[in-house]
Coordinates of all heavy atoms in Angstrom, one line a residue:
I29 N 56.9 48.8 163.0 CA 57.0 49.3 161.6 C 55.6 48.9 161.0 O 55.1 47.8 161.2 CB 58.2 48.7 160.8 CG1 59.4 49.3 161.5 CG2 58.1 49.1 159.4 CD1 60.7 48.9 160.8
G30 N 55.1 49.7 160.1 CA 53.8 49.5 159.6 C 52.8 50.4 160.3 O 53.2 51.1 161.3
L31 N 51.5 50.4 159.9 CA 50.5 51.2 160.5 C 49.7 50.5 161.5 O 49.4 49.3 161.3 CB 49.6 51.8 159.5 CG 50.3 52.7 158.4 CD1 49.3 53.1 157.3 CD2 50.9 54.0 159.1
P32 N 49.4 51.1 162.7 CA 48.5 50.4 163.6 C 47.2 50.2 163.1 O 46.6 51.1 162.4 CB 48.5 51.4 164.8 CG 49.5 52.4 164.6 CD 49.8 52.4 163.1
E33 N 46.6 49.1 163.3 CA 45.2 48.8 162.8 C 44.1 49.2 163.8 O 43.1 49.7 163.3 CB 45.1 47.3 162.5 CG 46.0 46.8 161.4 CD 45.8 45.4 161.1 OE1 44.9 44.7 161.6 OE2 46.7 44.8 160.3
D34 N 44.4 49.2 165.1 CA 43.4 49.6 166.1 C 43.2 51.1 166.0 O 44.2 51.9 165.9 CB 43.9 49.2 167.5 CG 43.0 49.7 168.6 OD1 42.1 48.9 168.9 OD2 43.2 50.8 169.1
E35 N 42.0 51.5 166.0 CA 41.6 53.0 165.8 C 42.2 53.9 166.9 O 42.8 54.9 166.6 CB 40.1 53.1 165.8 CG 39.7 54.5 165.4 CD 38.2 54.6 165.2 OE1 37.5 53.6 164.9 OE2 37.7 55.7 165.5
L36 N 42.2 53.4 168.1 CA 42.7 54.2 169.2 C 44.2 54.3 169.1 O 44.8 55.5 169.2 CB 42.4 53.6 170.6 CG 43.1 54.2 171.8 CD1 42.5 55.6 172.1 CD2 42.9 53.3 173.0
I37 N 44.9 53.2 168.8 CA 46.3 53.2 168.6 C 46.7 54.0 167.4 O 47.7 54.8 167.4 CB 46.9 51.8 168.6 CG1 46.6 51.1 169.9 CG2 48.4 51.8 168.3 CD1 46.9 49.6 170.0
H38 N 46.0 53.9 166.3 CA 46.3 54.7 165.1 C 46.2 56.2 165.3 O 47.0 56.9 164.9 CB 45.3 54.2 164.0 CG 45.6 54.8 162.6 ND1 46.6 54.3 161.8 CD2 45.1 55.9 162.0 CE1 46.6 55.0 160.7 NE2 45.8 56.0 160.8
S39 N 45.2 56.6 166.1 CA 45.0 58.0 166.4 C 46.2 58.5 167.2 O 46.7 59.6 167.0 CB 43.7 58.2 167.1 OG 43.5 59.5 167.5
A40 N 46.6 57.7 168.2 CA 47.7 58.1 169.1 C 49.0 58.1 168.2 O 49.8 59.0 168.4 CB 47.9 57.1 170.2
Y41 N 49.1 57.2 167.3 CA 50.3 57.1 166.4 C 50.4 58.4 165.6 O 51.5 59.0 165.5 CB 50.1 55.9 165.5 CG 51.1 55.8 164.3 CD1 52.3 55.3 164.4 CD2 50.6 56.2 163.1 CE1 53.2 55.2 163.3 CE2 51.5 56.1 162.0 CZ 52.8 55.6 162.1 OH 53.6 55.5 161.0
L42 N 49.3 58.8 165.0 CA 49.3 60.0 164.1 C 49.6 61.3 164.9 O 50.4 62.1 164.5 CB 48.0 60.2 163.4 CG 47.7 59.2 162.3 CD1 46.3 59.4 161.7 CD2 48.7 59.2 161.2
E43 N 49.1 61.4 166.2 CA 49.3 62.5 167.0 C 50.8 62.5 167.4 O 51.4 63.6 167.4 CB 48.4 62.4 168.3 CG 48.5 63.6 169.2 CD 47.6 63.5 170.4 OE1 46.4 63.0 170.2 OE2 48.0 63.9 171.4
E44 N 51.3 61.4 167.8 CA 52.8 61.4 168.2 C 53.7 61.6 167.0 O 54.7 62.3 167.1 CB 53.1 60.0 168.9 CG 54.5 59.9 169.4 CD 54.8 60.9 170.5 OE1 54.0 61.7 171.0 OE2 56.0 60.9 171.0
L45 N 53.3 61.1 165.9 CA 54.1 61.3 164.7 C 54.2 62.8 164.3 O 55.2 63.3 164.0 CB 53.6 60.5 163.5 CG 54.4 60.7 162.2 CD1 55.8 60.3 162.3 CD2 53.7 59.8 161.1
R46 N 53.0 63.5 164.4 CA 53.0 64.9 164.2 C 53.9 65.7 165.2 O 54.6 66.6 164.8 CB 51.6 65.5 164.3 CG 50.7 65.2 163.2 CD 49.3 65.9 163.3 NE 48.4 65.2 162.6 CZ 47.4 64.4 163.1 NH1 47.4 64.2 164.4 NH2 46.6 63.7 162.4
R47 N 53.9 65.2 166.5 CA 54.7 65.8 167.5 C 56.2 65.6 167.2 O 57.0 66.6 167.2 CB 54.4 65.3 168.9 CG 55.1 66.1 170.0 CD 55.0 65.3 171.3 NE 55.8 64.1 171.3 CZ 57.1 64.1 171.5 NH1 57.8 65.2 171.6 NH2 57.8 62.9 171.5
V48 N 56.6 64.4 166.8 CA 58.0 64.1 166.5 C 58.5 64.9 165.3 O 59.5 65.4 165.3 CB 58.1 62.6 166.3 CG1 59.4 62.2 165.7 CG2 58.0 61.8 167.6
L49 N 57.6 65.0 164.3 CA 58.0 65.7 163.1 C 58.1 67.2 163.4 O 59.0 67.9 162.9 CB 57.0 65.5 162.0 CG 57.1 64.1 161.3 CD1 55.9 63.9 160.3 CD2 58.4 63.9 160.6
K50 N 57.2 67.8 164.2 CA 57.3 69.2 164.6 C 58.7 69.4 165.4 O 59.3 70.5 165.1 CB 56.2 69.5 165.5 CG 56.1 71.0 165.9 CD 54.8 71.3 166.7 CE 54.8 72.8 167.0 NZ 53.5 73.1 167.7
V51 N 59.0 68.5 166.2 CA 60.3 68.7 167.0 C 61.5 68.6 166.0 O 62.4 69.4 166.0 CB 60.5 67.6 168.1 CG1 61.9 67.6 168.6 CG2 59.5 67.9 169.2
L52 N 61.4 67.7 165.1 CA 62.4 67.6 164.1 C 62.6 68.8 163.2 O 63.7 69.3 163.0 CB 62.2 66.4 163.2 CG 63.2 66.0 162.1 CD1 64.5 65.4 162.8 CD2 62.7 65.0 161.2
H53 N 61.5 69.4 162.8 CA 61.5 70.6 161.9 C 61.9 71.8 162.7 O 62.7 72.6 162.2 CB 60.2 70.7 161.3 CG 59.8 69.7 160.3 ND1 58.5 69.5 159.9 CD2 60.5 68.7 159.7 CE1 58.5 68.4 159.1 NE2 59.6 67.9 159.0
Q54 N 61.3 72.0 163.8 CA 61.4 73.3 164.5 C 62.6 73.4 165.5 O 63.2 74.5 165.7 CB 60.1 73.6 165.3 CG 58.9 73.9 164.4 CD 57.7 74.3 165.2 OE1 57.6 74.2 166.4 NE2 56.7 74.6 164.5
H55 N 63.0 72.2 166.0 CA 64.1 72.3 167.0 C 65.4 71.7 166.4 O 66.5 72.3 166.7 CB 63.7 71.6 168.3 CG 62.6 72.2 169.0 ND1 62.6 73.4 169.7 CD2 61.2 71.9 169.0 CE1 61.4 73.7 170.1 NE2 60.6 72.8 169.7
A56 N 65.3 70.6 165.7 CA 66.5 70.1 165.1 C 66.8 70.7 163.7 O 67.9 70.5 163.2 CB 66.4 68.5 164.9
L57 N 65.8 71.4 163.2 CA 65.9 72.1 161.9 C 66.2 71.1 160.8 O 67.1 71.4 159.9 CB 66.9 73.2 161.9 CG 66.6 74.3 163.0 CD1 67.6 75.4 163.0 CD2 65.2 75.0 162.7
L58 N 65.6 69.9 160.8 CA 65.8 68.9 159.8 C 64.5 68.5 159.1 O 63.4 68.6 159.8 CB 66.4 67.6 160.4 CG 67.9 67.7 160.8 CD1 68.2 66.4 161.5 CD2 68.8 67.9 159.6
V59 N 64.6 68.2 157.9 CA 63.4 67.6 157.1 C 63.9 66.2 156.8 O 64.9 65.9 156.3 CB 63.2 68.3 155.8 CG1 62.1 67.6 155.0 CG2 62.8 69.8 156.1
H60 N 63.0 65.2 157.2 CA 63.4 63.8 157.1 C 63.7 63.4 155.7 O 64.7 62.8 155.3 CB 62.4 62.9 157.7 CG 62.7 61.4 157.8 ND1 62.5 60.6 156.7 CD2 63.3 60.7 158.8 CE1 62.9 59.4 157.1 NE2 63.4 59.4 158.3
G61 N 62.8 63.7 154.8 CA 63.0 63.4 153.4 C 62.4 62.1 152.9 O 62.3 61.9 151.7
D62 N 62.1 61.2 153.8 CA 61.6 59.9 153.4 C 60.7 59.3 154.5 O 60.9 58.2 155.0 CB 62.7 58.9 153.1 CG 62.3 57.6 152.4 OD1 61.1 57.6 151.9 OD2 63.1 56.7 152.4
C63 N 59.7 60.1 154.9 CA 58.8 59.7 156.0 C 57.7 58.8 155.5 O 56.6 59.3 155.3 CB 58.3 61.0 156.7 SG 57.5 60.6 158.3
C64 N 58.0 57.6 155.4 CA 57.0 56.5 155.0 C 56.9 55.5 156.1 O 57.8 55.4 156.9 CB 57.4 56.0 153.6 SG 59.0 55.2 153.5
P65 N 55.8 54.7 156.1 CA 55.7 53.7 157.2 C 56.9 52.8 157.5 O 57.1 52.5 158.6 CB 54.4 52.9 156.7 CG 53.6 53.9 155.9 CD 54.7 54.7 155.2
C66 N 57.6 52.4 156.4 CA 58.8 51.5 156.7 C 59.9 52.3 157.4 O 60.8 51.6 157.9 CB 59.2 50.9 155.4 SG 59.9 52.0 154.2
N67 N 59.9 53.6 157.5 CA 60.9 54.4 158.1 C 60.4 54.9 159.5 O 61.0 55.8 160.1 CB 61.4 55.5 157.3 CG 62.3 55.0 156.1 OD1 62.9 54.0 156.3 ND2 62.3 55.7 155.1
I68 N 59.3 54.4 160.0 CA 58.7 54.8 161.3 C 58.6 53.6 162.2 O 57.9 52.6 161.8 CB 57.4 55.5 161.1 CG1 57.6 56.7 160.1 CG2 56.9 56.0 162.4 CD1 56.2 57.3 159.7
S69 N 59.2 53.6 163.3 CA 59.1 52.5 164.3 C 58.2 53.0 165.4 O 58.3 54.1 165.8 CB 60.5 52.1 164.8 OG 60.3 51.2 165.8
W70 N 57.3 52.2 165.8 CA 56.4 52.5 166.9 C 56.1 51.4 167.9 O 56.3 50.3 167.5 CB 55.1 53.1 166.4 CG 54.3 52.1 165.6 CD1 54.4 51.8 164.3 CD2 53.2 51.2 166.1 NE1 53.5 50.9 163.9 CE2 52.8 50.5 165.0 CE3 52.7 51.0 167.3 CZ2 51.8 49.5 165.1 CZ3 51.7 50.0 167.5 CH2 51.3 49.3 166.3
K71 N 55.9 51.7 169.1 CA 55.5 50.7 170.1 C 54.5 51.2 171.0 O 54.5 52.3 171.6 CB 56.8 50.4 171.0 CG 56.6 49.3 172.0 CD 57.9 49.0 172.7 CE 57.6 47.9 173.7 NZ 58.8 47.6 174.5
W72 N 53.4 50.4 171.2 CA 52.3 50.7 172.1 C 52.5 50.1 173.4 O 52.8 48.9 173.5 CB 51.0 50.3 171.5 CG 49.8 50.5 172.3 CD1 49.1 49.6 173.1 CD2 49.1 51.7 172.5 NE1 48.1 50.2 173.7 CE2 48.1 51.5 173.4 CE3 49.3 53.0 172.0 CZ2 47.2 52.5 173.7 CZ3 48.5 54.1 172.4 CH2 47.4 53.8 173.3
D73 N 52.4 50.9 174.5 CA 52.5 50.5 175.9 C 51.1 50.4 176.4 O 50.4 51.4 176.7 CB 53.3 51.4 176.7 CG 53.5 50.9 178.1 OD1 52.8 50.0 178.6 OD2 54.4 51.5 178.8
S74 N 50.6 49.2 176.5 CA 49.2 49.0 176.9 C 49.0 49.3 178.4 O 47.8 49.6 178.8 CB 48.7 47.5 176.6 OG 49.5 46.6 177.3
K75 N 50.0 49.3 179.2 CA 49.9 49.6 180.6 C 49.6 51.1 180.8 O 48.8 51.5 181.6 CB 51.1 49.2 181.4 CG 51.2 47.7 181.5 CD 52.5 47.3 182.3 CE 52.6 45.8 182.4 NZ 53.8 45.4 183.1
S76 N 50.3 51.9 180.0 CA 50.1 53.4 180.2 C 49.3 54.0 179.1 O 49.0 55.2 179.1 CB 51.5 54.1 180.2 OG 52.1 53.9 178.9
N77 N 48.8 53.1 178.1 CA 48.1 53.6 176.9 C 48.8 54.8 176.2 O 48.2 55.8 175.9 CB 46.7 54.1 177.3 CG 45.8 52.9 177.6 OD1 46.0 51.8 177.0 ND2 44.7 53.1 178.4
R78 N 50.1 54.6 176.1 CA 50.9 55.6 175.3 C 51.7 54.9 174.2 O 52.0 53.7 174.3 CB 51.9 56.2 176.3 CG 51.1 57.0 177.4 CD 52.1 57.9 178.2 NE 52.6 58.9 177.3 CZ 53.3 59.9 177.7 NH1 53.5 60.1 178.9 NH2 53.8 60.8 176.8
I79 N 52.1 55.7 173.3 CA 52.8 55.2 172.1 C 54.1 55.9 172.0 O 54.2 57.1 172.3 CB 51.9 55.3 170.8 CG1 52.5 54.5 169.7 CG2 51.8 56.8 170.4 CD1 51.6 54.3 168.5
S80 N 55.1 55.2 171.6 CA 56.4 55.9 171.3 C 56.6 55.7 169.8 O 56.4 54.7 169.2 CB 57.6 55.3 172.1 OG 57.7 54.0 171.8
V81 N 57.2 56.7 169.1 CA 57.4 56.8 167.7 C 58.8 57.2 167.5 O 59.3 58.2 168.1 CB 56.4 57.7 167.0 CG1 56.8 57.9 165.5 CG2 55.0 57.2 167.1
K82 N 59.5 56.4 166.6 CA 60.9 56.8 166.3 C 61.0 56.8 164.7 O 60.5 55.9 164.0 CB 61.9 55.8 166.8 CG 61.9 55.7 168.3 CD 62.9 54.7 168.9 CE 62.8 54.8 170.4 NZ 63.7 53.7 171.0
L83 N 61.7 57.8 164.2 CA 62.0 57.9 162.8 C 63.3 57.2 162.5 O 64.3 57.3 163.2 CB 62.1 59.3 162.4 CG 60.8 60.2 162.5 CD1 61.1 61.6 162.1 CD2 59.7 59.6 161.7
L84 N 63.3 56.4 161.4 CA 64.5 55.7 161.0 C 65.0 56.2 159.7 O 64.3 56.9 159.0 CB 64.2 54.2 160.8 CG 63.4 53.6 162.0 CD1 63.0 52.1 161.6 CD2 64.2 53.5 163.3
D85 N 66.2 55.9 159.3 CA 66.8 56.1 157.9 C 66.8 57.6 157.6 O 65.9 58.1 156.8 CB 66.0 55.3 156.9 CG 66.6 55.4 155.5 OD1 67.8 55.9 155.4 OD2 66.0 54.9 154.5
F86 N 67.8 58.3 158.0 CA 67.9 59.7 157.8 C 68.9 60.0 156.6 O 69.4 61.1 156.5 CB 68.5 60.4 159.0 CG 67.4 60.7 160.0 CD1 66.9 59.7 160.9 CD2 66.9 62.0 160.2 CE1 65.9 60.0 161.8 CE2 65.9 62.3 161.1 CZ 65.4 61.2 161.9
D87 N 69.0 59.0 155.7 CA 69.9 59.2 154.5 C 69.5 60.4 153.6 O 70.4 60.9 153.0 CB 69.9 57.9 153.7 CG 70.6 56.7 154.4 OD1 71.2 57.0 155.4 OD2 70.5 55.6 153.9
T88 N 68.2 60.7 153.6 CA 67.8 61.7 152.7 C 67.4 63.0 153.4 O 66.8 63.9 152.9 CB 66.5 61.3 151.9 OG1 65.5 60.9 152.7 CG2 66.9 60.2 150.9
A89 N 67.7 63.1 154.7 CA 67.4 64.2 155.5 C 68.2 65.5 155.1 O 69.4 65.3 154.6 CB 67.7 64.0 157.0
V90 N 67.6 66.6 155.2 CA 68.2 67.9 154.8 C 67.9 68.9 155.9 O 66.9 68.8 156.6 CB 67.9 68.4 153.4 CG1 68.3 67.5 152.3 CG2 66.3 68.7 153.3
E91 N 68.7 69.9 156.0 CA 68.5 71.0 157.0 C 67.3 71.8 156.4 O 67.2 72.0 155.2 CB 69.7 71.9 157.1 CG 70.8 71.2 157.9 CD 72.0 72.1 158.1 OE1 71.8 73.3 158.1 OE2 73.1 71.5 158.4
V92 N 66.5 72.3 157.3 CA 65.4 73.2 156.9 C 66.0 74.4 156.1 O 67.0 75.0 156.5 CB 64.6 73.7 158.2 CG1 63.6 74.8 157.8 CG2 63.9 72.6 158.9
G93 N 65.4 74.7 155.0 CA 65.8 75.7 154.1 C 66.8 75.3 153.1 O 67.1 76.1 152.1
E94 N 67.5 74.1 153.3 CA 68.4 73.6 152.3 C 67.7 73.1 151.1 O 66.6 72.6 151.2 CB 69.2 72.5 153.0 CG 70.4 72.0 152.2 CD 71.2 70.9 152.9 OE1 71.4 71.1 154.2 OE2 71.6 69.9 152.3
E95 N 68.3 73.2 149.9 CA 67.8 72.6 148.7 C 67.8 71.1 148.7 O 68.7 70.5 149.3 CB 68.5 73.1 147.5 CG 68.3 74.5 147.1 CD 68.9 74.9 145.8 OE1 68.8 74.1 144.9 OE2 69.4 76.0 145.7
L96 N 66.7 70.5 148.2 CA 66.6 69.1 148.1 C 67.7 68.6 147.1 O 67.9 69.2 146.1 CB 65.3 68.6 147.7 CG 64.1 68.8 148.6 CD1 62.8 68.5 148.0 CD2 64.3 68.1 149.9
P97 N 68.2 67.4 147.4 CA 69.2 66.8 146.5 C 68.5 66.5 145.1 O 67.3 66.3 145.1 CB 69.5 65.5 147.1 CG 69.2 65.6 148.6 CD 68.1 66.6 148.6
T98 N 69.2 66.6 144.1 CA 68.7 66.5 142.7 C 67.9 65.2 142.5 O 66.8 65.1 141.9 CB 69.8 66.6 141.7 OG1 70.5 67.8 141.9 CG2 69.2 66.5 140.3
A99 N 68.4 64.1 143.1 CA 67.7 62.8 143.0 C 66.3 62.8 143.6 O 65.4 62.2 143.0 CB 68.6 61.7 143.7
L100 N 66.1 63.5 144.7 CA 64.8 63.6 145.3 C 63.9 64.5 144.4 O 62.7 64.2 144.3 CB 64.9 64.2 146.7 CG 65.4 63.2 147.7 CD1 65.4 63.9 149.1 CD2 64.6 61.9 147.8
V101 N 64.4 65.6 143.9 CA 63.6 66.4 143.0 C 63.2 65.7 141.8 O 62.0 65.8 141.4 CB 64.4 67.8 142.7 CG1 63.6 68.6 141.7 CG2 64.7 68.5 144.0
D102 N 64.1 65.0 141.2 CA 63.8 64.2 140.0 C 62.7 63.1 140.3 O 61.8 62.9 139.5 CB 65.1 63.5 139.4 CG 66.0 64.6 138.9 OD1 65.6 65.7 138.6 OD2 67.2 64.2 138.7
L103 N 62.8 62.4 141.4 CA 61.9 61.4 141.8 C 60.5 62.0 142.0 O 59.5 61.5 141.5 CB 62.4 60.7 143.1 CG 61.5 59.7 143.7 CD1 61.3 58.5 142.6 CD2 62.0 59.1 144.9
K104 N 60.5 63.2 142.7 CA 59.2 63.8 143.0 C 58.6 64.3 141.7 O 57.4 64.1 141.5 CB 59.4 65.0 143.9 CG 58.2 65.8 144.2 CD 58.4 67.0 145.1 CE 57.2 67.8 145.4 NZ 57.4 69.0 146.1
T105 N 59.3 64.8 140.8 CA 58.9 65.2 139.5 C 58.3 64.1 138.7 O 57.3 64.1 138.1 CB 60.0 66.0 138.7 OG1 60.4 67.0 139.5 CG2 59.5 66.5 137.4
S106 N 59.1 62.9 138.6 CA 58.6 61.8 137.8 C 57.4 61.1 138.4 O 56.5 60.7 137.7 CB 59.8 60.8 137.7 OG 60.1 60.2 139.0
I107 N 57.2 61.1 139.8 CA 56.0 60.5 140.4 C 54.8 61.4 140.1 O 53.8 60.9 139.8 CB 56.2 60.4 141.9 CG1 57.3 59.3 142.2 CG2 54.9 60.1 142.6 CD1 57.7 59.2 143.6
G108 N 55.0 62.7 140.1 CA 53.9 63.6 139.8 C 53.4 63.5 138.4 O 52.2 63.9 138.1
K109 N 54.1 63.0 137.5 CA 53.7 62.9 136.1 C 53.0 61.6 135.7 O 52.5 61.5 134.6 CB 55.0 63.1 135.1 CG 55.5 64.4 135.2 CD 56.7 64.6 134.3 CE 57.3 66.0 134.3 NZ 58.5 66.1 133.4
E110 N 53.0 60.7 136.6 CA 52.3 59.4 136.4 C 50.8 59.5 136.4 O 50.2 60.3 137.0 CB 52.8 58.3 137.4 CG 54.3 58.0 137.2 CD 54.8 57.0 138.2 OE1 54.0 56.6 139.1 OE2 55.9 56.6 138.1

């Protein structure tokens, strides 16, 4: 949890996170709704130079095309006004 500091690992992290989110959106037809560093677990395997990324906390997930819950819309609106 948290962001990788090493440039190579950080780059691999972002690439794998994009892949995971694409699978989530296109195949599982879900939008996570709270994709922040504390909800992303990752592990670097130095032997294979590969990273694994897992998304945590699907409490705010919605199906693709479904309306966002009012609480999320209100939060997004209030953050945008600051």
Side-chain angles (χ1 to χ4, degrees):
I29 296 182
L31 297 173
E33 294 180 12
D34 179 88
E35 188 175 329
L36 172 70
I37 298 172
H38 186 81
S39 179
Y41 167 85
L42 292 175
E43 185 177 324
E44 183 64 3
L45 180 59
R46 282 187 209 103
R47 188 193 71 76
V48 167
L49 288 171
K50 184 176 182 178
V51 168
L52 185 69
H53 296 162
Q54 294 181 352
H55 298 284
L57 300 177
L58 289 175
V59 175
H60 186 274
D62 192 14
C63 192
C64 58
C66 66
N67 287 332
I68 304 167
S69 174
W70 61 274
K71 183 177 181 183
W72 178 255
D73 182 344
S74 58
K75 291 181 182 179
S76 66
N77 283 336
R78 297 192 64 167
I79 195 165
S80 62
V81 171
K82 295 180 181 178
L83 296 176
L84 312 172
D85 189 6
F86 279 77
D87 290 350
T88 56
V90 295
E91 291 183 18
V92 170
E94 187 178 319
E95 287 190 38
L96 292 176
T98 306
L100 287 180
V101 173
D102 292 344
L103 178 61
K104 182 180 175 186
T105 303
S106 67
I107 291 172
K109 292 181 179 178
E110 293 178 355

